[in-house]
Amino acid sequence: MSGVLYQIYPRSFADSNGDGNGDIQGIIDHLDHLEWLGIDGIWLSPVTVSPNADWGYDVADFCAIQPDLGTMEEFDLLIDCARQRDIRVLLDLVPNHTSDQHPWFLDSRSSLAAQQRDWYVWADARADGAVPNNWVSSFGGPAWTLDPATGQYYLHNHLVEQPDLNWWNEDVRKAFDDILEFWIARGVAGFRIDVCNIIIKDAHLRDNPPATEEDDFEAQLFGQRSVYNGNRPEVHQVIQRWRRLAESHDESRVLIGETPVKIDVLADYYGDGADELHLAFNFPFISSTFDAAMRTIVEETETLLPPGAWPAWTGSNHDMSRFATRWANDDPFKARAAIMMLLSLRGTPVLYQGDEIGLGDTEVAHEDMRDPLGVLYWPAYAGRDAMRTPMQWRDTEGGGFCAPGVSPWLPFGDVKACNVEDQHKDPGSMLVLTRDLISLRRHTPDLRTGQYASVGAPQGIWAWRRGEDVLVALNLGDHDAAFEGFSGQILIGTDRRRDAESFSGSVPIRAWEGLVASLRTKGERCKTLRP
Ligand code: GLC
């Protein structure tokens, strides 16, 4: 858990067979890159069977591999090849909903008396003929769709093609136990659990109350507070059940929740610190601006999480604008400071493919859009394709993602300006900085597991200690500054020319510069190494 995770969006990682889609063999082919980078575990966005209304997040078979991504044999091979490199594989589990093509839903909608009718959330229209309640889909529009054949509405918190499962039903719970067991038996190290905070809904399907002025952006957008269709108390029983299952094996499996909630609510998903999620994604953090506001969020997280809980820090994913664009405004200096932060906080950093080379968002033209949200809401919202464009391996036609002449499923960004191969050769690159920070973390116990403690610093500088020995300081302002009160030696600076520089009482930090330092003097460090 103190290692570094890396999210792979398989369709965009590497295409091994010339169809323009990334695939499992493509991941196997690039494990050397991940090993070189020092990654401990990969989280794969869904690789299971899906009609792709929402690109894998509408699952039609939880225990089979999507054919254009590969085969079960290739998946098993991936687990083996990764293990040989000490890399563990985590899968994406989507328990809130299935595809409308899933056999469970096909049965469920077949008649009011169907065996699996109760596996989904069905409800009658209100007396006046209106939809069962006022809930809205988090993808916009009503959360209910009428099924004319049976005369009832089904609930979908996302697309119409993603009917929500009924987590009050014990058979649904058992079916998911089996799914978890199926993948655990194949050697997966854990699961990232999609929208795990909303899986169980109010048993009485009560209306959500209207949003008030104090509510967050999302509540304002939807005009209501998600009181009855998310974060219900009963969700914790389900997560505890999964935790027990995850720990019932020789080697505990990791549960990482997608938990888009405020920090006090996030803390609840860790349970007592040992009986719910191992890691919960921190959305206030990822959504923050890269300035003093972020320090406040980190401090709040450190304060509110229960004892023993371990935070997760991520800057990008397949749903959110990449941090090189969102936090760093496509300024490479800022992106370097951001990767230093992610890799130096107390907790598990989860990088998204491309973060290591400072890849920013790629604008995707309307006619090339594949994300249903972009297609639906453009131009008001351009969707999520900008953060899903193919990985940029090389400055060649196909970008090293696919063979020359093959047309990729989404267009490339600027492969010349940003690619793995060129950065590999450049000791000053973002890629080498990322690799070196991961390695430093691995070999410095205080940086890996030491406590976090903020340190008072001049305006614009965010500084913290990790354990006894390590000091991290980032200048998140546009002015050069000096940081007083510590003596030691820089281990890694975002400006690599400063690596190994000693300082005594004061250390200058230029605008958007960052450094990780040891507070021991050189002599003391030698003593520790040779007691
Ligand atoms: C999660 C996924 C997102 C998907 C949604 C519905 O938020 O990260 O990509 O669209 O769930 O499954």
Side-chain angles (χ1 to χ4, degrees):
M1 276 234 313
S2 57
V4 177
L5 296 179
Y6 183 98
Q7 180 192 355
I8 291 182
Y9 193 75
R11 197 167 289 280
S12 296
F13 196 60
D15 168 23
S16 74
N17 63 0
D19 66 359
N21 293 298
D23 46 49
I24 292 174
Q25 183 60 51
I27 301 173
I28 298 173
D29 295 343
H30 289 81
L31 285 172
D32 286 348
H33 169 69
L34 301 175
E35 184 183 17
W36 174 86
L37 201 54
I39 297 302
D40 298 283
I42 51 181
W43 145 36
L44 303 180
S45 277
V47 290
T48 39
V49 173
S50 168
N52 286 332
D54 190 20
W55 296 106
Y57 286 93
D58 49 321
V59 180
D61 185 343
F62 288 98
C63 295
I65 300 290
Q66 167 73 2
D68 64 357
L69 298 181
T71 62
M72 196 57 93
E73 288 68 38
E74 284 165 341
F75 180 79
D76 291 341
L77 187 64
L78 169 63
I79 302 248
D80 281 354
C81 294
R83 198 188 286 272
Q84 283 162 23
R85 292 166 169 84
D86 276 335
I87 297 174
R88 314 306 310 276
V89 178
L90 286 84
L91 284 188
D92 213 312
L93 182 77
V94 188
N96 179 66
H97 46 265
T98 68
S99 159
D100 62 350
Q101 302 305 309
H102 195 293
W104 299 341
F105 189 67
L106 296 180
D107 177 69
S108 185
R109 79 185 316 174
S110 66
S111 88
L112 288 170
Q115 209 204 340
Q116 282 157 315
R117 182 67 175 179
D118 188 50
W119 282 40
Y120 292 82
V121 184
W122 292 98
D124 292 326
R126 294 192 225 213
D128 63 359
V131 291
N133 68 19
N134 73 349
W135 299 351
V136 284
S137 154
S138 50
F139 282 175
W144 296 97
T145 288
L146 180 66
D147 176 50
T150 57
Q152 280 193 313
Y153 285 83
Y154 67 89
L155 180 70
H156 51 87
N157 201 66
H158 298 88
L159 299 175
V160 175
E161 295 89 346
Q162 293 169 299
D164 279 29
L165 285 159
N166 173 15
W167 274 88
W168 290 99
N169 184 307
E170 182 59 23
D171 291 337
V172 169
R173 296 182 187 207
K174 285 195 189 129
F176 270 84
D177 290 349
D178 293 346
I179 291 165
L180 275 111
E181 293 288 4
F182 174 85
W183 291 110
I184 287 175
R186 299 203 95 86
V188 310
F191 303 90
R192 174 267 190 188
I193 307 170
D194 196 59
V195 290
C196 78
N197 62 311
I198 63 165
I199 58 172
I200 194 153
K201 323 294 187 291
D202 177 47
H204 307 290
L205 304 178
R206 280 170 279 186
D207 275 347
N208 278 329
T212 64
E213 273 176 17
E214 287 89 67
D215 285 320
D216 59 15
F217 168 77
E218 203 171 286
Q220 305 287 344
L221 184 72
F222 296 131
Q224 58 183 244
R225 292 166 56 205
S226 250
V227 172
Y228 293 113
N229 59 345
N231 302 308
R232 301 302 302 158
E234 299 83 6
V235 72
H236 297 286
Q237 294 158 14
V238 179
I239 297 175
Q240 285 158 11
R241 175 185 182 121
W242 289 333
R243 176 76 178 237
R244 285 193 297 274
L245 189 152
E247 282 179 354
S248 67
H249 295 268
D250 46 337
E251 191 184 52
S252 176
R253 268 43 183 203
V254 183
L255 303 179
I256 312 179
E258 187 197 17
T259 39
V261 295
K262 293 193 199 133
I263 296 167
D264 53 340
V265 183
L266 183 80
D268 294 342
Y269 286 95
Y270 284 91
D272 66 9
D275 67 345
E276 292 198 30
L277 296 174
H278 296 89
L279 296 171
F281 281 120
N282 190 326
F283 281 76
F285 173 81
I286 191 172
S287 317
S288 170
T289 41
F290 190 35
D291 54 20
M294 190 171 268
R295 170 187 178 145
T296 309
I297 289 167
V298 168
E299 287 170 355
E300 209 184 322
T301 306
E302 286 284 356
T303 309
L304 292 176
L305 256 47
W310 189 247
W313 306 112
T314 193
S316 317
N317 63 38
H318 63 293
D319 293 328
M320 313 273 298
S321 166
R322 289 171 168 279
F323 79 71
T325 296
R326 186 167 29 80
W327 287 345
N329 215 1
D330 293 316
D331 174 339
F333 288 100
K334 296 183 184 174
R336 292 169 77 86
I339 198 89
M340 179 171 274
M341 172 199 59
L342 283 171
L343 293 168
S344 309
L345 289 169
R346 184 186 78 99
T348 298
V350 187
L351 303 183
Y352 177 48
Q353 63 186 49
D355 281 354
E356 72 271 39
I357 51 171
L359 190 63
D361 295 344
T362 298
E363 206 178 311
V364 174
H366 185 219
E367 59 276 17
D368 294 330
M369 282 180 184
R370 310 298 291 263
D371 176 25
L373 299 188
V375 172
L376 208 60
Y377 294 117
W378 187 88
Y381 172 56
R384 301 168 291 181
D385 292 314
M387 32 283 193
R388 298 175 177 181
T389 56
M391 184 64 182
Q392 302 182 184
W393 297 102
R394 273 196 296 282
D395 177 20
T396 51
E397 199 196 331
F401 166 77
C402 56
V406 169
S407 100
W409 82 293
L410 275 173
F412 292 110
D414 185 347
V415 290
K416 187 173 176 48
C418 184
N419 69 72
V420 172
E421 189 177 77
D422 287 349
Q423 292 198 20
H424 230 280
K425 295 183 207 142
D426 172 6
S429 68
M430 173 93 165
L431 178 63
V432 172
L433 174 68
T434 307
R435 194 268 318 253
D436 291 351
L437 283 166
I438 293 176
S439 164
L440 182 69
R441 198 187 141 83
R442 187 187 292 264
H443 296 111
T444 311
D446 273 356
L447 193 55
R448 196 174 164 99
T449 54
Q451 291 302 312
Y452 169 95
S454 288
V455 170
Q459 203 180 353
I461 294 186
W462 175 16
W464 64 90
R465 288 181 76 152
R466 294 291 315 284
E468 287 296 305
D469 182 36
V470 173
L471 175 76
V472 184
L474 304 175
N475 185 347
L476 305 184
D478 293 325
H479 303 287
D480 298 352
F483 183 48
E484 315 283 337
F486 291 93
S487 299
Q489 190 180 36
I490 297 175
L491 299 170
I492 296 188
T494 51
D495 176 349
R496 302 305 303 271
R497 291 169 304 187
R498 297 192 65 187
D499 290 10
E501 180 184 305
S502 294
F503 56 95
S504 177
S506 172
V507 60
I509 314 185
R510 286 198 305 280
W512 293 102
E513 196 178 3
L515 49 92
V516 181
S518 166
L519 295 176
R520 287 192 204 148
T521 62
K522 219 172 178 179
E524 278 172 340
R525 269 205 307 284
C526 292
K527 266 189 252 150
T528 340
L529 289 176
R530 284 185 245 108

